[in-house]
């Protein structure tokens, strides 16, 4: 059975908070649970849930049972990667929850977030994925605690207002000591419930996001959507290479050597793996640039020369030639038709 994986953004957050708050040696902590410390420098990578389970258990053993709650209190959207960039540029809190639900899979394949509205309240659920090998089925507490506490921490940053909580549900049994839960959530706490859920006033959905920027939202969401589509592809190395290209394609073309290094594989072996999957690095680079170009050009506010730069073209004329080769149209003509 396939195992659920989790973003190194989560791993890094746990390790860095343990080091900053409790003085734990982060490298030693990683090594003790079987995680290569160098992975923390590659936060868009995914690691198996078994390693996350071992990390949670070890860090709680070395700190306290409420480590995950305290981690959530210290949550910073700036450390959340592309999903964080998407959220801070939404226009309303409803849109924040919609984007969070859509892109949860970029940082967790073991849980998904969704919400509904009824009788003046929002029911925001965090459900565990059951059709994969998933440590959260047996050990959900720390991930759920940190997720819910993070949402409470992020809301005032995004909106300038605290979330108007009505109740918080946890699917797992009541811990012996819930004083920290009571301090942080300050509302009705319920354990051994049918699902993990936060309930709050539906008026919160209309709150404006202080840092909203529709132009940047379009750019970052196009990036996130491309990453999500790459993650959904079945061919393992094709998916990984496309993800690396997207991450590294910021004004310069990523060489295959840099991609291979981040995937901890030799260039020759990577070429063989891609050949076995019926593709090549150059084909994936070309296709990824094309897909990103089509997405970027759908935003009328992004200048064509900025699109050319983002995709690693040395000058707009080179981008024009490539785009015409891809589509038979100029970027300007494509934008006019798609608008």
């Amino acid at each position: 059975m396939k195992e659920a994986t989790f973003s190194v953004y989560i791993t890094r957050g746990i390790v860095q908070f343990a080091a900053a708050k409790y003085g734990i040696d982060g490298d030693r902590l990683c090594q003790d649970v079987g995680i290569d410390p160098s992975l923390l420098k590659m936060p868009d990578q995914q690691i198996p849930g078994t390693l996350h389970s071992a990390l949670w258990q070890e860090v709680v053993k070395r700190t306290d049972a409420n480590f995950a709650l305290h981690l959530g209190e210290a949550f910073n959207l700036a450390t959340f990667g592309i999903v964080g960039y998407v959220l801070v540029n939404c226009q309303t809190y409803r849109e924040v929850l919609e984007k969070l639900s859509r892109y949860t899979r970029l940082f967790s394949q073991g849980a998904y977030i969704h919400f509904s509205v009824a009788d003046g309240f929002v029911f925001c659920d965090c459900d565990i994925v059951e059709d994969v090998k998933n440590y959260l089925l047996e050990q959900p507490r720390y991930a759920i605690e940190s997720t819910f506490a993070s949402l409470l921490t992020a809301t005032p940053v995004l909106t300038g207002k605290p979330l108007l909580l009505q109740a918080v549900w946890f699917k797992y049994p009541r811990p012996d000591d819930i004083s920290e839960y009571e301090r942080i959530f300050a509302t009705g706490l319920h354990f051994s419930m049918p699902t993990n859920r936060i309930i709050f006033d539906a008026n919160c959905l209309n709150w404006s996001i202080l840092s909203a920027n529709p132009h940047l939202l379009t750019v970052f969401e196009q990036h996130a959507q491309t990453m999500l589509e790459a993650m959904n592809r079945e061919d393992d190395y094709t998916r990984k290479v496309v993800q690396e290209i997207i991450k590294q394609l910021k004004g310069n073309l990523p060489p295959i050597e840099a991609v291979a290094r981040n995937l901890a594989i030799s260039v020759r072996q990577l070429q063989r793996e891609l050949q076995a999957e019926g593709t090549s690095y150059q084909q994936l680079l070309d296709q990824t640039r094309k897909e990103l170009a089509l997405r970027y050009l759908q935003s009328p506010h992004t200048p064509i020369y900025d699109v050319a730069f983002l995709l690693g073209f040395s000058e707009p004329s080179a981008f024009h030639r490539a785009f015409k080769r891809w589509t038979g149209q100029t970027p300007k003509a494509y934008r006019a038709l798609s608008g």
Side-chain angles (χ1 to χ4, degrees):
M1 179 182 290
K2 181 181 178 181
E3 181 173 11
T5 62
F6 299 81
S7 170
V8 175
Y9 274 110
I10 302 175
T11 317
R12 187 169 69 177
I14 295 170
V15 173
Q16 290 181 343
F17 183 69
K21 178 73 174 179
Y22 298 91
I24 291 174
D25 185 321
D27 285 352
R28 177 60 63 85
L29 175 63
C30 286
Q31 292 168 352
D32 287 349
V33 298
I35 297 173
D36 183 349
S38 67
L39 274 175
L40 301 188
K41 298 177 182 178
M42 297 179 280
D44 282 301
Q45 294 293 315
Q46 299 271 327
I47 67 171
T50 47
L51 289 180
H52 260 289
S53 174
L55 177 61
W56 275 122
Q57 293 182 64
E58 186 64 23
V59 78
V60 167
K61 184 170 68 176
R62 297 189 189 187
T63 58
D64 66 75
N66 295 309
F67 175 88
L69 288 171
H70 299 154
L71 174 65
E73 284 189 288
F75 177 68
N76 185 344
L77 280 162
T79 65
F80 209 35
I82 190 64
V83 179
Y85 296 139
V86 168
L87 300 185
V88 299
N89 287 292
C90 290
Q91 295 193 63
T92 65
Y93 195 65
R94 176 188 290 273
E95 191 174 23
V96 166
L97 294 181
E98 289 172 348
K99 304 305 183 188
L100 182 60
S101 300
R102 181 179 301 171
Y103 298 117
T104 300
R105 195 165 184 268
L106 289 179
F107 55 90
S108 171
Q109 295 183 27
Y112 57 97
I113 295 171
H114 59 98
F115 73 98
S116 58
V117 184
D119 300 323
F121 292 101
V122 176
F123 302 89
C124 185
D125 294 0
C126 185
D127 291 334
I128 308 302
V129 177
E130 298 182 356
D131 60 351
V132 294
K133 180 182 178 183
N134 188 358
Y135 87 95
L136 293 175
L137 292 169
E138 303 296 330
Q139 185 190 325
R141 174 181 170 179
Y142 307 126
I144 299 300
E145 286 178 352
S146 63
T147 297
F148 283 178
S150 294
L151 188 62
L152 258 64
T153 300
T155 301
V157 174
L158 291 166
T159 68
K161 305 173 185 179
L163 195 60
L164 304 177
L165 281 182
Q166 174 72 16
V168 183
W169 293 5
F170 298 99
K171 197 171 181 178
Y172 49 88
R174 182 186 188 277
D176 293 335
D177 181 2
I178 63 167
S179 57
E180 283 297 89
Y181 286 85
E182 293 171 332
R183 178 184 66 82
I184 292 171
F185 297 108
T187 189
L189 295 168
H190 305 273
F191 295 89
S192 298
M193 299 299 285
T195 188
N196 302 295
R197 170 177 290 176
I198 284 187
I199 304 172
F200 56 90
D201 192 319
N203 289 316
C204 299
L205 296 177
N206 300 319
W207 289 349
S208 296
I209 302 305
L210 302 176
S211 53
N213 186 320
H215 166 54
L216 288 178
L217 175 62
T218 299
V219 173
F220 289 130
E221 190 169 15
Q222 289 164 345
H223 200 93
Q225 185 62 35
T226 305
M227 290 180 69
L228 191 62
E229 289 172 1
M231 181 176 284
N232 291 335
R233 292 177 180 169
E234 293 183 1
D235 291 331
D236 196 35
Y237 274 97
T238 296
R239 173 178 56 80
K240 290 178 180 178
V241 167
V242 170
Q243 286 179 316
E244 282 297 321
I245 290 172
I246 294 169
K247 285 187 298 180
Q248 298 184 37
L249 190 57
K250 296 180 176 68
N252 293 298
L253 290 182
I256 189 172
E257 290 80 8
V259 170
R261 183 167 58 251
N262 279 0
L263 295 180
I265 189 175
S266 70
V267 171
R268 173 175 280 188
Q269 182 61 31
L270 179 57
Q271 290 171 329
R272 283 199 292 262
E273 295 288 352
L274 293 177
Q275 184 178 15
E277 293 175 7
T279 188
S280 69
Y281 181 74
Q282 188 57 48
Q283 287 177 315
L284 294 179
L285 179 61
D286 205 45
Q287 183 63 29
T288 302
R289 294 171 94 190
K290 174 185 174 182
E291 290 177 6
L292 288 173
L294 295 175
R295 291 186 185 281
Y296 290 152
L297 288 171
Q298 288 174 8
S299 170
H301 304 294
T302 306
I304 290 175
Y305 59 80
D306 282 354
V307 175
F309 171 77
L310 286 169
L311 298 178
F313 289 94
S314 57
E315 54 186 28
S317 60
F319 172 54
H320 279 251
R321 289 193 297 271
F323 194 84
K324 196 161 186 179
R325 173 170 54 83
W326 294 332
T327 66
Q329 303 176 69
T330 65
K332 185 176 181 180
Y334 174 81
R335 170 171 278 172
L337 289 172
S338 62

